[in-house]
């Protein structure tokens, strides 16, 4: 089958890219390995999840949120929004298509994309002038190698499979990872009376939703250093009642929260009440890594030995692009993330693009989609003359 643009992935970035291309009347199709669009939101999000950014940073092109939508949405509101988006713009991804191989064919200057139809088992071949990688940052779940993990006698869960703490009452649970998912899952577990510990290796800024919202608004007008200074003043005033966070294991980076985000990709942790529980001794913080596991006993790098019934790995994801995209070097590094610096990260060589890899959430995916569609439009218009 031939088309002008093949989009791989039907998450928010892929949906937005299709809509932007349709606005320019550019034929395109989306290949999606799952049986539904936005599978990360619909299948892999825990029950209590709320969007950490305000609604004006969580909308897709040509469809802003209405005034009745709360500033900070529960995931159900955002899923409803995506449903309405797909319906309004009549987006029809080809589901159950796992892309196995894609490469640029020099003989005809087109992309060959091979996808397995996981329902029938057939291999389908698509030819296109352009390819947009929209599989996003959250490709494959990542669990680090830990000595003895395969012989752990308890339960091992990745955060993508975690739904609620209701099944873990009175169990000893270790959450590995001090990012947003790890801290919020720790809070949820403790609310359901699990004996909760969180393992934090990397320094993180911990802010409120309002502090992040104010910071993101100010970044439109002021330099990062100035915004970081103001946001840190707000944060320190709020945390004054708890004293020095480092005393109970919460270490801050040397750089400000937004500088850290831009340089490393690590977002600030949005506090949902976890800091208070840590301060009150309801959630234990363990700094460092896991040295080894024997049975249910974990030995940590700081020498601590402790038994756990469950380990929840809130250790994120890794990009899977390089597994199937033979010519990934046209747009990606070896780690599956864009090789070009922002703001031109989305554009590669040989009409290869990526959307949703800016580490700027939904707003970044929306901007990528508009940039990609506009660039493809310009190339096609130039080719006509």
């Amino acid at each position: 089958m031939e088309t002008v643009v093949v989009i791989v992935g039907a998450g928010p970035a892929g949906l937005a890219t299709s809509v932007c291309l349709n606005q320019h009347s550019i034929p395109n199709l989306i290949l999606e390995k799952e049986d539904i669009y936005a599978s990360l939101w619909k299948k892999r999000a825990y029950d209590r999840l709320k969007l950490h950014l305000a609604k004006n940073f969580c909308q897709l092109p040509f469809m802003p949120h209405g005034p009745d939508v709360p500033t900070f949405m529960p995931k159900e509101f955002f899923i409803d929004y995506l449903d309405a988006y797909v319906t309004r713009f009549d987006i029809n991804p080809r589901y159950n298509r796992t892309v196995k191989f894609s490469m640029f064919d020099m003989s005809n200057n087109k992309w060959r994309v091979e996808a397995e139809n996981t329902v029938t088992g057939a291999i389908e071949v698509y030819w296109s002038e352009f390819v947009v990688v929209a599989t996003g940052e959250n490709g494959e779940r990542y669990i680090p190698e830990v000595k003895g993990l395969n012989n752990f006698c308890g339960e091992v869960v990745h955060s993508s499979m975690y739904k609620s703490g209701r099944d873990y009452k009175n169990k000893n649970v270790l959450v590995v990872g001090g990012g947003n998912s790890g801290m919020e899952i720790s809070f949820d577990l403790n609310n359901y009376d699990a004996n909760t510990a969180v393992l934090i290796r990397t320094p993180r800024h911990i802010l409120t939703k309002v502090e992040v919202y104010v910071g993101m608004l100010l970044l439109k007008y002021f330099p990062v250093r100035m915004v970081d200074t103001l946001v840190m003043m707000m944060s320190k005033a709020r945390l004054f009642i708890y004293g020095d966070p480092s005393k109970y294991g919460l270490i801050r980076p040397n750089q400000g929260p937004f500088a850290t985000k831009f340089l490393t990709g690590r977002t600030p942790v949005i506090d949902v009440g976890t800091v208070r529980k840590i301060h009150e001794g309801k959630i234990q913080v363990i700094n460092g890594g896991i040295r080894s596991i024997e049975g249910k006993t974990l030995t940590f790098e700081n020498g601590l030995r402790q038994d756990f019934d469950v380990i929840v790995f809130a250790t994120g994801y890794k990009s899977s692009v390089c597994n199937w995209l033979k010519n990934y070097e046209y747009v990606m590094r070896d780690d599956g993330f864009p090789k070009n610096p922002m703001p031109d990260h989305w554009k590669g060589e040989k009409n290869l693009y990526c959307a949703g890899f800016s580490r700027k959430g939904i707003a970044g995916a929306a901007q990528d989609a508009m940039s990609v569609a506009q660039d493809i439009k310009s190339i096609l218009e130039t080719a006509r003359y």
Side-chain angles (χ1 to χ4, degrees), residues 248-262:
Y248 37 93
L250 302 177
I251 312 298
R252 284 177 170 165
N254 294 325
Q255 295 168 316
F258 292 102
T260 299
K261 166 67 174 173
F262 294 146

Side-chain angles (χ1 to χ4, degrees), residues 176-243:
V176 179
N180 276 298
S181 294
M183 295 293 269
E184 188 159 359
I185 288 172
S186 298
F187 178 82
D188 186 59
L189 285 163
N190 183 258
N191 283 344
Y192 282 98
D193 297 322
N195 302 314
T196 309
V198 57
L199 180 67
I200 303 176
R201 299 190 63 178
T202 306
R204 293 270 188 170
H205 286 286
I206 300 178
L207 306 176
T208 65
K209 290 181 178 180
V210 173
E211 289 163 357
V212 171
Y213 181 45
V214 169
M216 293 184 71
L217 291 177
L218 291 176
L219 283 173
K220 296 181 179 180
Y221 310 102
F222 301 102
V224 173
R225 181 177 296 180
M226 185 181 297
V227 175
D228 273 344
T229 299
L230 177 60
V231 171
M232 287 304 297
M233 289 173 61
M234 296 171 62
S235 174
K236 287 179 180 178
R238 173 177 53 85
L239 293 174
F240 178 77
I241 57 174
Y242 301 130

Side-chain angles (χ1 to χ4, degrees), residues 339-352:
K339 69 175 184 179
N340 294 326
M342 289 190 290
D344 299 320
H345 58 281
W346 49 270
K347 185 175 175 63
E349 305 169 51
K350 306 293 186 184
N351 293 341
L352 179 62

Side-chain angles (χ1 to χ4, degrees), residues 1 31 96-101 112-126:
M1 179 177 182
L31 301 177
N96 302 301
R97 264 67 172 194
T98 299
V99 175
K100 295 292 189 179
F101 178 82
R112 177 187 175 97
V113 181
E114 298 181 5
E116 179 187 0
N117 183 325
T118 55
V119 174
T120 66
I123 297 296
E124 302 170 349
V125 178
Y126 300 85

